[in-house]
Amino acid sequence: MEGFARGLPKAELHVHIEGTLEADLLLELAARHGLSLPYRTPADVRAAYRFTDLASFLGLYYRNLEVLRDEDDFRRLTLAYLARAADDGVRHAEVFFDPQSHTARGVPLGAVIEGIWEGLAEGEGLHGMSTRLIMCFLRDRDVGEAERTLTEALAYRGLLAGVGLDSAERGHPPGAFAGVFARARAEGLATVAHAGEEGPAEYVREALDELHIQRVDHGVRAADDPELVARLRRERVPLTMCPLSNVKLGVVSRLEEHPLKRLLDAGLIVTVNSDDPAYFGGYLVDNFVAAQEALGLRRRDLVRLARNSFEAALLDEEERRGYLAEVDAFAARRGVAV
Ligand code: ADE
Ligand code: ZN
């Protein structure tokens, strides 16, 4: 099954580039910039990766990303992720980044965006894949800062496909960001938001009604609310789910309890993604395989997840048709009816 999951052409739609910072690059960049870290070896780093919830993870994530200082750091981080993604059969990747986590400590926005952009362009050429960049606002910081970040980022409008919303969810309902998201939409940017990860189903509804998002990142808690599930299906709003992340952060107590399969069977556009793969024990294929084993997914379910990933992607229709044809050709070669 792992070979099948790897060979299957897929899009990854929910990955934080800062969450792909592997232990060796973390240590190397710390040494390069003369920064001291509480770890000496990659094994020390990984031993520290035990989380009880989203807050305990975010504390470490924000501390570690401080080794990212200049444009070349962001370029290398991005290139390393795309190499791993390509190995996993990812044909199209939509990458999140958290600008405020860098600008708040004095790294210029241009170094962040241009560094990631160079990595994306280089990786596209090396691996023959397509990419998009999505800028996320931190919901646990004030809205004025998000407004200023958007204004500054519009100087790089052509490099951005969309905006998102992430960081600590509970106590930070999405509605506060309605104005920023309205401006982003007026600029022609796509809009997505983390909702229903540690927050309730109500935050998913609020993100749909007030931010007018076109995709929900996570959306696990939406499964608690039958009326919302019916709406997500009716309005064809995709969910970018992240099974290994949800187990590591206690969003579900065991993978067997993850609602992914139930929502997929209910006809929602469910996708599988890796979130912060350096922290949660696996890239995209690991997430596919773990979900397959815990939830008893069949090959045709994996094909459906792959088709959904391209249906939900920010692609133009011709690119989308091309990728869907790749999935269908792969399924046909393996004798899976879709
Ligand atoms: N930032 C990085 N990973 C995140 C997650 N899983 N939830 C919210 N914000 C994040
Ligand atoms: Zn996420």
Side-chain angles (χ1 to χ4, degrees), residues 183-197:
R183 264 179 75 209
R185 284 200 318 281
E187 291 289 340
L189 290 158
T191 53
V192 301
H194 283 55
E197 182 186 20

Side-chain angles (χ1 to χ4, degrees), residues 285-307:
V285 168
D286 303 306
N287 275 274
F288 266 78
V289 169
Q292 185 271 318
E293 286 173 358
L295 301 170
L297 303 181
R298 315 282 299 267
R299 287 179 173 208
R300 65 167 180 273
D301 296 317
L302 302 193
V303 171
R304 169 145 294 254
L305 289 166
R307 290 193 109 261

Side-chain angles (χ1 to χ4, degrees), residues 66-244:
E66 294 194 15
V67 303
L68 299 163
R69 297 262 153 149
D70 61 30
E71 193 170 311
D72 196 56
D73 298 342
F74 287 95
R75 182 188 69 84
R76 288 188 53 200
L77 175 71
T78 306
L79 257 182
Y81 161 66
L82 290 181
R84 287 171 181 269
D87 253 8
D88 269 8
V90 172
R91 302 281 294 111
H92 173 76
E94 300 189 357
V95 170
F96 293 146
F97 72 111
D98 286 330
Q100 292 154 277
S101 70
H102 311 299
T103 53
R105 50 191 182 84
V107 178
L109 184 65
V112 179
I113 297 186
E114 285 176 1
I116 298 173
W117 182 258
E118 286 163 33
L120 293 177
E122 221 171 308
E124 285 193 0
L126 279 172
H127 307 296
M129 58 200 297
S130 52
T131 67
R132 299 285 187 273
L133 186 55
I134 299 176
M135 180 175 81
C136 291
F137 303 111
L138 302 185
R139 68 199 312 155
D140 51 354
R141 297 177 70 103
D142 79 60
V143 182
E145 191 179 289
E147 289 281 5
R148 290 189 293 279
T149 302
L150 177 60
T151 302
E152 198 185 344
L154 290 177
Y156 305 91
R157 169 67 190 86
L159 308 189
L160 300 176
V163 298
L165 188 67
D166 65 0
S167 204
E169 184 181 8
R170 211 175 295 126
H172 301 284
F177 292 83
V180 191
F181 272 62
R183 264 179 75 209
R185 284 200 318 281
E187 291 289 340
L189 290 158
T191 53
V192 301
H194 283 55
E197 182 186 20
E198 62 170 8
E202 189 49 36
Y203 284 16
V204 176
R205 195 175 283 110
E206 188 173 315
L208 292 169
D209 290 338
E210 298 189 32
L211 305 188
H212 304 283
I213 53 167
Q214 55 203 77
R215 276 194 325 232
V216 176
D217 296 316
H218 293 295
V220 178
R221 294 273 75 84
D224 304 339
D225 183 332
E227 201 180 295
L228 180 58
V229 169
R231 175 179 178 185
L232 292 167
R233 178 200 153 101
R234 192 171 61 244
E235 296 180 5
R236 297 183 53 77
V237 180
L239 304 183
T240 65
M241 304 195 104
C242 307
L244 288 175

Side-chain angles (χ1 to χ4, degrees), residues 249-267:
L249 302 186
V251 170
V252 293
S253 47
R254 306 160 56 231
L255 201 43
E256 287 74 5
E257 284 158 26
H258 201 285
L260 183 164
K261 166 92 164 99
R262 180 156 65 80
L263 296 175
L264 184 68
D265 289 344

